Amino acid sequence: MLLNLAIKNFAIVSFVEIDWQQGMTTITGETGAGKSIAIDALSLCLGSRALANTVRPGCAKAELTATFDSSNISKATKWLAKHDLQQDDECIIRRIISIEGRSKAYINGSPVPLAQLKELGQLLINIHGQHDHQLLMKSQEQRRLLDEYADHQELLSSLKFYQSKWRKLNNELTLLQQNSQQRQAQLQLLQYQVKELDQFALQDNEFTQLETDYKRNSNAQQLLLLSQQCIEQLSESNNITEQSSALTQLQKSSEQLSQLAELDSAAAAIASLVNEARIQLEEASKDLNDYQQSIDIDPQKFALIEERYSFAIQLARKHKVAPEELVSFHSNIKKQLNAIANDDSRLDVINDELEQCFSQYLEIANSLHKSRTTAAQQLEQQITNSMRQLNMPDAVFKLAITEKQLNEPANHGIDEIEFLVSMNPGQPVEALAKVASGGELSRISLAIQVILAERIVTPTLIFDEVDVGISGPTAAKVGQQLHKLGHSTQVICVTHLPQVASKGHQQLFVAKLTDGKHTQTKVTELNQPGREREIARLLAGDEVTDSSLANARELLAS
């Protein structure tokens, strides 16, 4: 239930705060005073798109805050808990809109995207505008109203699931068929490339080893020569008249330093370092000899290495990749080849999947048709009774459901829905748009809205001049229906009819004030004398007479 609405710097409103009551609240005022401003502000607060004139002229931003009692609204309470936005039994929604058109939204103090405001708003309020009855002439709206009354949401969700699944499968089939010729050309190329690389069978990291082996074998003679020279310099001397090898000199120095350390302990550390150097040089000399022995000059082996190394480079150039990436390239084109093979296999089975999906869709659609037919029989009787209560005593309402043969799933099922009416005895039922006048459409729309409101519990219902085009006894009937509805849910009604305004449990008066430079709207809750004067004004115009006041008191008393 809506408890409070605070409006600041919105349109021509400087500041207005309204406390709302349970039951039926009527909003009246002169034409152009801004009777619908509270409704517009509430719509924005619950996520509607802001227009250019949202912010009051001369102000930087508009601020709208709505407070609800959510304790008895189970769907809203569950939604708030799911999004971690629950706060006691109240739900406070706030929206700030800047003059540049940017907006911020908050639920219980937490910033939220606009989409979440819309989701929550649908659980809190249902707004019916003065032009909603025109939608009744559209088949899509007629189907929506029937489905809302039937409340078969699970069937509709299942229907949309299979319809969406069928479309995805069909799009996939179309794409596969369009690309079939291109895939065949690519298939032949990939088969050739994979076969060539399979035959070569290069392994992970093999090219790096081939490159190392190639360099080693191609430089074997120079490696032997250089290693021999190093061995001679380190540990051997071919000419005894020349200076001894490095190892011989280091051995002599190590022996002399050992003697020196015996005479002076301060030289012991130096002797130790030189001795360690001698040991390391001996090990290096030994390793160098082993390395020289490992150098193998084998022309036949080198030829095989050179051939494989060269072919690897040739293949890499052919496929425009680095030689080191050849194995990865081979793996990738294998995957592409398998994917094309899978696509061809997919073509073989996708038609079966489409047929099965369509069959499942039709099964759900037939269940939906049965549910709609059952609900239509109940709804047409209720609407007929409601129309007669709204001063259409001979009205008959029928709901025609026609099954269509479909070649592909539609998002609404197999049914075409049409509202039919007869307004006079003996007149056959015809399409709503052909028979009903504007006022009759308005009453039929109200009848449906009342029936839906009684069947689907909505905590707050707002009617924005839904009584347009009606007057006299009919207006009284409309007021009685809304008053009755106010006993089970909160009803807010913007009206210009005294017969409707007098039926409210609470009445608000909207006035436009101006000082010649600035204009603003003021909303006042009327007491009993105030209500009498306002009802009298609605009855008689600007000049309130004793007679119109008496009529107003009579309307309020009734």
Side-chain angles (χ1 to χ4, degrees):
M1 165 182 169
L2 178 63
L3 299 176
N4 180 273
L5 177 65
I7 307 170
K8 183 178 180 182
N9 298 331
F10 171 66
I12 59 173
V13 174
S14 175
F15 180 77
V16 164
E17 185 171 9
I18 306 171
D19 291 320
W20 305 86
Q21 298 177 7
Q22 180 62 275
M24 177 182 174
T25 298
T26 57
I27 302 174
T28 61
E30 295 180 356
T31 301
K35 296 189 294 296
S36 296
I37 277 183
I39 312 303
D40 295 338
L42 197 54
S43 295
L44 280 171
C45 202
L46 297 175
S48 295
R49 192 169 70 89
L51 301 176
N53 60 349
T54 297
V55 181
R56 179 177 167 85
C59 300
K61 61 183 180 181
E63 187 172 338
L64 312 164
T65 306
T67 303
F68 295 86
D69 178 359
S70 57
S71 57
N72 294 320
I73 312 172
S74 59
K75 289 184 179 180
T77 302
K78 290 177 183 177
W79 188 95
L80 289 167
K82 177 183 176 182
H83 293 86
D84 198 23
L85 294 168
Q86 198 166 13
Q87 178 179 298
D88 300 326
D89 291 333
E90 282 191 349
C91 174
I92 300 174
I93 296 176
R94 181 166 166 251
R95 189 174 179 191
I96 299 173
I97 304 168
S98 71
I99 196 169
E100 294 86 5
R102 295 188 295 270
S103 73
K104 296 179 181 178
Y106 303 86
I107 297 176
N108 287 334
S110 299
V112 295
L114 205 58
Q116 287 195 347
L117 277 192
K118 292 180 180 179
E119 284 182 30
L120 179 59
Q122 292 172 356
L123 305 176
L124 297 171
I125 281 182
N126 197 342
I127 299 177
H128 302 281
Q130 57 183 302
H131 302 298
D132 282 0
H133 63 274
Q134 295 174 357
L135 291 173
L136 272 181
M137 293 182 286
K138 298 183 180 295
S139 176
Q140 183 178 354
E141 177 68 5
Q142 294 172 2
R143 182 173 56 247
R144 185 192 69 80
L145 290 171
L146 174 60
D147 287 338
E148 193 171 339
Y149 176 82
D151 194 23
H152 39 221
Q153 189 56 48
E154 289 187 9
L155 285 174
L156 289 170
S157 297
S158 297
L159 191 80
K160 289 178 181 178
F161 170 79
Y162 285 111
Q163 190 249 359
S164 176
K165 181 179 178 181
W166 187 93
R167 292 207 176 279
K168 288 179 181 177
L169 287 169
N170 191 58
N171 289 339
E172 183 185 355
L173 176 63
T174 301
L175 189 62
L176 288 173
Q177 290 172 337
Q178 288 174 347
N179 295 336
S180 178
Q181 187 174 359
Q182 182 181 350
R183 281 201 315 277
Q184 290 304 315
Q186 189 180 10
L187 178 66
Q188 294 178 1
L189 174 62
L190 288 174
Q191 285 175 334
Y192 170 76
Q193 291 176 331
V194 167
K195 181 179 179 181
E196 185 178 46
L197 290 169
D198 281 347
Q199 290 174 345
F200 186 58
L202 189 69
Q203 303 300 310
D204 281 339
N205 302 317
E206 183 186 351
F207 180 79
T208 302
Q209 186 61 48
L210 280 173
E211 190 172 36
T212 301
D213 291 345
Y214 176 78
K215 289 180 179 178
R216 179 185 175 94
N217 281 272
S218 61
N219 295 292
Q221 290 290 351
Q222 188 175 4
L223 292 174
L224 282 171
L225 178 62
L226 289 172
S227 60
Q228 181 59 40
Q229 290 175 352
C230 290
I231 289 170
E232 290 176 355
Q233 291 170 357
L234 286 175
S235 59
E236 295 180 5
S237 177
N238 293 329
N239 191 341
I240 58 172
T241 61
E242 294 179 356
Q243 187 177 11
S244 302
S245 68
L247 184 57
T248 302
Q249 292 293 329
L250 195 58
Q251 286 172 340
K252 287 180 179 180
S253 296
S254 179
E255 290 170 359
Q256 291 171 351
L257 283 168
S258 295
Q259 293 174 6
L260 182 62
E262 289 176 359
L263 298 174
D264 184 358
S265 60
I270 301 171
S272 177
L273 286 172
V274 173
N275 187 51
E276 288 177 5
R278 177 187 62 80
I279 294 172
Q280 289 182 352
L281 193 59
E282 285 177 349
E283 290 179 355
S285 179
K286 181 178 179 302
D287 289 345
L288 190 55
N289 274 294
D290 292 342
Y291 170 75
Q292 186 188 48
Q293 294 300 319
S294 71
I295 298 172
D296 181 23
I297 301 177
D298 184 346
Q300 187 175 4
K301 178 181 177 182
F302 175 57
L304 292 173
I305 292 172
E306 183 180 29
E307 180 183 4
R308 189 161 179 79
Y309 175 69
S310 299
F311 193 56
I313 292 175
Q314 180 183 342
L315 281 175
R317 287 174 180 168
K318 181 177 181 179
H319 296 294
K320 297 180 181 179
V321 297
E324 296 84 355
E325 299 172 357
L326 204 57
V327 173
S328 175
F329 173 78
H330 185 195
S331 175
N332 287 337
I333 63 172
K334 271 187 172 180
K335 290 178 182 177
Q336 292 179 36
L337 186 61
N338 289 335
I340 290 176
N342 290 337
D343 284 348
D344 289 337
S345 300
R346 180 70 177 145
L347 274 170
D348 294 336
V349 300
I350 197 168
N351 283 309
D352 291 338
E353 289 187 15
L354 275 168
E355 186 177 342
Q356 182 181 3
C357 182
F358 192 39
S359 175
Q360 291 168 321
Y361 168 87
L362 289 176
E363 184 178 343
I364 300 295
N366 285 321
S367 297
L368 182 62
H369 170 75
K370 292 177 183 177
S371 178
R372 282 171 172 164
T373 301
T374 301
Q377 292 170 355
Q378 300 170 1
L379 181 60
E380 63 185 12
Q381 186 58 52
Q382 290 184 37
I383 293 177
T384 296
N385 293 339
S386 186
M387 288 170 66
R388 290 175 178 176
Q389 292 173 14
L390 290 172
N391 222 27
M392 292 180 278
D394 298 311
V396 175
F397 180 89
K398 292 292 182 182
L399 225 159
I401 302 178
T402 306
E403 290 185 77
K404 291 187 66 178
Q405 293 294 324
L406 300 178
N407 295 321
E408 60 182 60
N411 59 8
H412 57 269
I414 58 176
D415 300 319
E416 288 294 330
I417 311 296
E418 188 174 23
F419 286 2
L420 307 173
V421 293
S422 169
M423 305 306 297
N424 302 299
Q427 180 184 4
V429 292
E430 293 187 76
L432 189 66
K434 293 181 180 180
V435 178
S437 65
E440 289 168 339
L441 274 175
S442 180
R443 280 179 280 166
I444 295 169
S445 174
L446 179 60
I448 294 172
Q449 289 161 9
V450 170
I451 290 167
L452 291 177
E454 290 174 341
R455 185 176 178 87
I456 303 170
V457 178
T458 304
T460 300
L461 287 170
I462 296 178
F463 297 95
D464 187 7
E465 295 195 22
V466 296
D467 49 17
V468 64
I470 59 177
S471 59
T474 302
K477 296 286 186 180
V478 169
Q480 290 168 8
Q481 286 278 32
L482 292 174
H483 180 84
K484 178 183 175 184
L485 191 58
H487 289 297
S488 59
T489 188
Q490 186 183 37
V491 175
I492 299 169
C493 180
V494 177
T495 183
H496 64 283
L497 297 177
Q499 296 92 336
V500 175
S502 62
K503 295 298 184 289
H505 300 93
Q506 174 192 31
Q507 186 171 346
L508 303 177
F509 177 71
V510 181
K512 184 166 63 174
L513 308 177
T514 180
D515 58 6
K517 295 181 179 179
H518 302 93
T519 303
Q520 64 176 342
T521 292
K522 182 180 179 182
V523 180
T524 306
E525 182 177 357
L526 298 177
N527 55 20
Q528 184 65 18
R531 291 193 71 181
E532 290 175 2
R533 286 192 299 271
E534 173 59 7
I535 298 299
R537 185 191 68 81
L538 292 173
L539 285 166
D542 292 335
E543 186 177 345
V544 177
T545 64
D546 291 340
S547 176
S548 62
L549 278 170
N551 289 336
R553 292 188 190 101
E554 185 178 350
L555 278 174
L556 287 167
S558 67

